[in-house]
Amino acid sequence: MTWELVIDGIDFGEGPRWHDGKFWFSDFFQQTISTVGADGVRKVEVEYEGRPSGLDWLPDGRLVFVSMADRKLMRVEPDGSIVEHADLGGVANGHCNDMVMDAVGNAYVGNFGFDMEAGDEFAMASLALVRADGSIEIAATDLMFPNGSVIVDNGRTLIVGESFGGQYTAWDINDDATLTNRRIWAKIEGTAPDGCTVDAEGGIWYSDALGKQVVRVLEGGEVTHQLATEANTYACMLGGADGNQLFALTCEDSHPSKATGTATGKLWVTTVDVSRNTTDRP
């Protein structure tokens, strides 16, 4: 498998999704959400000065995205206006980052847990549950930098990557969207799971924020694939017309002082054997 360049000119790409036949992603430092269609052309869909990150859609089709810097979820209304969906300042101890949303609009949102960019000491983080009406509660605690997440088993299981723990942690999702039965889904020591995506065989592809690679892991920790990338990679997503295109976002560094305004980030694609899981999220 070899990578092909799709586009360049990105500062820091994150939060990728395949939605309505297009690749969507946030650019932290250009403060945009963009799409790339089959023609390979980037189109800016949203501009927002809050450092957009994770994104997903409510059942009625409205886009919801993480605003990292002010620790909020924002919502794009049908007329294009951007309104506050939820304020996570009371539950997030660091910048909010990735999220995943279930089929009825409940979002599970991670945060750093500490001010990593300022060089503060590591601290555990909580995982927020934001319901479709914008109400907020803490879904889980004591996580080591909760990051890329997927919902599998027809909405019954949440799996969250812990970047500073080198592992994926899973919970059962109860009927009321709360979480129980916490367990280690896979331990992948020496790597830092970042943005991820799940395939039709239940394998999780993830960008390794410590190594220049995208990795596929199965429940229990078996690593089946390791694809090298030319630069650091922080997010990946399965998509394409047949669901078997694996996209990866790379850049030279994640720190704002090194990434802002550089446009050194790139979007790459390769073809894999197992297509995306169309019943799971994302």
Side-chain angles (χ1 to χ4, degrees):
M1 288 179 276
T2 58
W3 296 105
E4 295 181 13
L5 180 65
V6 181
I7 60 168
D8 55 14
I10 300 166
D11 276 6
F12 187 91
E14 254 285 17
R17 291 287 184 262
W18 183 262
H19 181 74
D20 283 346
K22 295 180 180 180
F23 181 85
W24 292 69
F25 72 98
S26 299
D27 190 323
F28 282 5
F29 306 126
Q30 294 179 10
Q31 304 196 89
T32 57
I33 297 171
S34 298
T35 58
V36 181
D39 57 3
V41 175
R42 178 181 181 178
K43 177 184 177 183
V44 173
E45 303 284 353
V46 177
E47 295 182 77
Y48 184 76
E49 295 183 359
R51 202 190 292 186
S53 182
L55 48 130
D56 217 321
W57 286 262
L58 292 166
D60 63 10
R62 288 177 295 171
L63 173 66
V64 175
F65 64 90
V66 171
S67 177
M68 292 183 68
D70 51 11
R71 304 178 190 181
K72 293 180 179 181
L73 291 187
M74 307 303 294
R75 189 178 69 244
V76 182
E77 296 293 87
D79 64 0
S81 61
I82 299 173
V83 300
E84 181 179 305
H85 186 68
D87 186 341
L88 297 168
V91 298
N93 294 326
H95 285 339
C96 296
N97 53 342
D98 218 338
M99 74 164 177
V100 65
M101 190 176 286
D102 69 14
V104 297
N106 297 307
Y108 300 91
V109 189
N111 75 90
F112 291 6
F114 63 106
D115 193 342
M116 183 177 68
E117 294 171 359
D120 288 358
E121 290 187 7
F122 169 81
M124 292 288 195
S126 61
L127 184 73
L129 165 59
V130 180
R131 300 184 184 277
D133 63 3
S135 60
I136 305 164
E137 60 193 83
I138 293 177
T141 59
D142 298 324
L143 291 164
M144 294 175 280
F145 204 101
N147 213 323
S149 309
V150 295
I151 294 175
V152 299
D153 301 329
N154 292 314
R156 296 191 300 270
T157 304
L158 172 70
I159 306 172
V160 177
E162 295 185 68
S163 295
F164 278 61
Q167 66 187 28
Y168 278 94
T169 301
W171 294 261
D172 295 340
I173 301 175
N174 300 317
D175 290 342
D176 64 357
T178 59
L179 305 177
T180 53
N181 189 26
R182 180 172 178 165
R183 57 200 182 272
I184 302 300
W185 189 84
K187 188 76 176 175
I188 328 100
E189 294 182 357
T191 73
D194 204 322
C196 66
T197 182
V198 64
D199 67 28
E201 293 181 355
I204 290 179
W205 284 99
Y206 69 91
S207 286
D208 175 15
L210 284 180
K212 298 176 180 180
Q213 61 175 348
V214 178
V215 180
R216 183 177 183 267
V217 64
L218 303 177
E219 184 175 7
E222 179 187 353
V223 172
T224 63
H225 296 75
Q226 293 175 278
L227 305 181
T229 54
E230 69 157 21
N232 295 325
T233 176
Y234 299 97
C236 61
M237 181 57 49
L238 287 165
D242 297 322
N244 64 345
Q245 288 187 302
L246 178 66
F247 296 88
L249 288 158
T250 65
C251 69
E252 296 302 320
D253 200 282
S254 63
H255 198 278
S257 65
K258 297 181 179 180
T260 304
T262 62
T264 58
K266 299 176 181 179
L267 172 63
W268 302 85
V269 68
T270 190
T271 301
V272 295
D273 294 332
V274 183
S275 298
R276 71 190 301 247
N277 192 324
T278 56
T279 61
D280 290 338
R281 299 172 68 92

